[in-house]
Structures are given as structure tokens and as C-alpha cells.
Amino acid sequence: MRFNLSAWGLRQWAMTLLALGILAGVLAVAGQGMASGATGDVRGVRFGGDTTRTRVVIDLDRSARGEVIEQGDNGRLILTLAGVGAGRGVDGAGTGLVRDWRVSSSGTASRVQLGLARTARIERRFLLPPGDGVAHYRYVIDIASTGGAASSSVREAPRTPVRRAQRPLIVIDAGHGGHDPGARGHDRNESEITLAAAIALRDELNRTGRYRVLMTRETNVYVGLSQRVRIARQADADLFISLHADAGADPATRGASVYTLSEQGASRAVREVTRSEDWHRDLHLPGRDPSVDRILLDMTQRATQNRSAQFARVLLSHIEEADHPLLRRSHRDAGFAVLLAPDVPAVLLEMGFMTNPDDERALADTRQRQRLMRAVAEGIDRYFSQPAGGTMIAGVPGTGS
């Protein structure tokens, strides 16, 4: 095909020049991407909190594995994120404990550097996969001040210390009650057993002098499920334990089990919490940016689920040591309403089966019931004496990220 360029008009020349310009731009962008060798998988960095504790959220296009290079004790926190690129790099000013930040390329990984206003330590870090309306991954780092100034040039206004109760607050929930008797055994109702067990556990904990205890009911009355959760949240509880006794079609089935919140229940909890316009205030979130508050809610809930699972494992080990029978699959998950608080670690303990004669007899016996509650109290002791869990991938307790 031959082109008669002398016959071209203004329109043909203009379209040709436009096409050549677009092609040159595309080739330039492609050349930059090939030169950097990175895909720009770090989308941005967000912050929340204050100069006592700060949460850092790194938005990612894909999953990543973090490795800490510098812990923050010298006023600088550095980690690498394997599996994601930094593109041409991003940086900016921080808030709270973070004075400034920078993300740059480090081979095939990204290097995240946080300049700190104070010396700090990492409390926890974990990866949040896409979910609950967020389409991308988030790598979360919680850091806490250790009190030292990062440099002599950094000056801050005096901080009001965070006031905390010296003793953890345990909320004990006796299942059912009033017009809701629960499962029926041969001689007793579940609500009677759960109240007796709750009182026994309260007495065990009070005897140690190490805890404050709050019960959702102390008599044979009915308390709504949402009210039980509200009691724990309004009291700023450190742990919520709901006591129940199971029922089954097979009378031979017996043994205790512990439930923690399922992923489906977690999604329901988010919907419940975010119904009100000032939900961020209930969770003590900044409220300045809805997207940041939603990320912080995800972080809070995931940390709560991890702590609940940690307590469930500890609790089951102590129940087993007390020679109390357990179901074969003793750690289970469900969307029970009493487990929906996003900011209070919670478990539901099925102490046994009302439909099993041996279990009913044991739960009705004062001495055996007291021995079980002593094991529960010892599990609570061990849970609060353990150091906080380290790095975890959300949804997979105990897995490093």
C-alpha cells in the first residue's frame, strides 16, 4: 500500500501526530516500569492513635510477608515487605508516634521506614486479607511508646497518662434465665446450672484478689442477648465468658467445648456496630476519616478474635488437666450473639450436656462444679499472665506474617 503524503489534509496530519504522541507516552511509561522492576503494589500508608500508641496501616495490592530490621528502640522502625513492590517510592509526614515515613524499593521487596517522635516498640503486626467491603490487603503495625525521646530536637507537649484499672475486669454471663430456662435435663434446667456455675466462678476469682468481676445476672431473670454484650462493652471489660450447658439427640454424647466467634459472625458484628452514625465514638476511634476508622475497626476486631482464640486454647488445656471430659472437637466457632463485641475478647463455654446423665450429675454436684470453675479461674490466670501474642496473620492465630 502506498501513501500519497502530498494529498494529506490538516485532519490526516493532526490524527497521525496525535497517535504518535500517545504511542510515545505509552512507551515512556512502560520503560519506567521496566527500569524500576517494581509494580507499585504499595497503595498508601495510614495512621491512627496518639503519642502513646499508634497504628500504622499499609494498603497493599497483594499479600506480603514482613520482616523487622529495626525495632524502634533507637527512634527508627524499619521493616521489609516481601512480595510487594514500592514503585517509584512514596513518603510523607506521620501522626502520633510517627514523625515521618518512607516506602522505597529493596530488591524485589519494599522497605518501610518510620521516623519516630519517641522511642517505641512493636506490640503486634498482622496481615488483613480483603474482606468486609475492603478489596485490598492491609499490613498493620501497632507500636507503643517506651518513653524515650528519639532525638533532642523533638519536643512534645506533656502527655496525660492513660489511666488503667490495676485489675482486669471479667464479665461472667450465666446463660438463659427467667422465662428462658435453656436445655432441660432429667432433674434441672440449664439456667439453674449456669447461674450456680457463674456464682462459683465469681467466688473463685474474687478469692484471688487479682480481678474485678461483673455478672450479667445474679438471679433467675432473663437478660437480652444484646444487653449482655452491652454490659461488657460499657464496662470496658477485659474478658467475657458465657457459661452454658449443651443438649443433644444422643444421650451418650457428653463433654465440654469452647466457642469463639466465626468469620461469618465477625461480618455480622461489623454490621451491628456500624449501624449507628457515631459508632466510631463507641470504639474510641478518631472519627475524622471514615475509611481510616473502618480499618481501625477491622484491626480491633481481628485482635479481639485472636485474643479470644488464645484464651480458648488456654481454657481448654486447664479443663482437660482437671479431668473434666471434653468433646472430641472441643474448640469450635459460631456466630452466637453474646460473642459479637468487636472490642472485648469473648468465649462461650458449654460445660457439658444436660441430656447426658453423667454430665448433668457432675454439673449439679457442688464439689465437681466448683472444681470445674477452679480450672476456669486458673485458665484466666494463665491467660492474663501470658505476654501478648506476637505477629499473626488475621484469621490464623499463631501464624507469623
Tab-separated table of all heavy atoms in Angstrom, residues 80 98 119-120 243 251 370:
chain	number	residue	atom	x	y	z
A	80	THR	N	10.876	-4.800	56.057
A	80	THR	CA	10.708	-5.071	54.632
A	80	THR	C	9.437	-5.883	54.436
A	80	THR	O	9.040	-6.672	55.300
A	80	THR	CB	11.908	-5.840	54.062
A	80	THR	OG1	12.065	-7.075	54.779
A	80	THR	CG2	13.173	-5.011	54.159
A	98	VAL	N	4.620	8.495	64.933
A	98	VAL	CA	5.370	8.513	63.677
A	98	VAL	C	5.556	9.955	63.210
A	98	VAL	O	4.583	10.656	62.928
A	98	VAL	CB	4.655	7.684	62.594
A	98	VAL	CG1	5.448	7.710	61.296
A	98	VAL	CG2	4.459	6.249	63.057
A	119	THR	N	11.052	6.934	71.184
A	119	THR	CA	11.405	5.527	71.069
A	119	THR	C	10.157	4.690	71.294
A	119	THR	O	9.268	5.071	72.061
A	119	THR	CB	12.482	5.145	72.101
A	119	THR	OG1	11.997	5.413	73.423
A	119	THR	CG2	13.759	5.910	71.855
A	120	ALA	N	10.063	3.569	70.612
A	120	ALA	CA	8.846	2.766	70.662
A	120	ALA	C	9.190	1.302	70.454
A	120	ALA	O	10.321	0.946	70.125
A	120	ALA	CB	7.854	3.244	69.596
A	243	LEU	N	-21.413	-18.855	80.181
A	243	LEU	CA	-21.497	-20.244	80.633
A	243	LEU	C	-22.813	-20.870	80.189
A	243	LEU	O	-23.891	-20.294	80.394
A	243	LEU	CB	-21.384	-20.303	82.161
A	243	LEU	CG	-20.092	-19.727	82.750
A	243	LEU	CD1	-20.136	-19.777	84.273
A	243	LEU	CD2	-18.873	-20.482	82.233
A	251	PRO	N	-28.184	-39.318	73.965
A	251	PRO	CA	-27.874	-39.173	75.394
A	251	PRO	C	-26.452	-39.581	75.751
A	251	PRO	O	-25.949	-39.207	76.809
A	251	PRO	CB	-28.884	-40.108	76.073
A	251	PRO	CG	-29.970	-40.315	75.074
A	251	PRO	CD	-29.316	-40.248	73.746
A	370	GLN	N	-17.537	-26.868	91.348
A	370	GLN	CA	-16.523	-25.955	91.865
A	370	GLN	C	-15.135	-26.304	91.314
A	370	GLN	O	-14.336	-25.412	91.003
A	370	GLN	CB	-16.509	-25.995	93.396
A	370	GLN	CG	-15.604	-24.958	94.038
A	370	GLN	CD	-15.778	-24.912	95.541
A	370	GLN	OE1	-16.519	-25.702	96.118
A	370	GLN	NE2	-15.099	-23.986	96.186
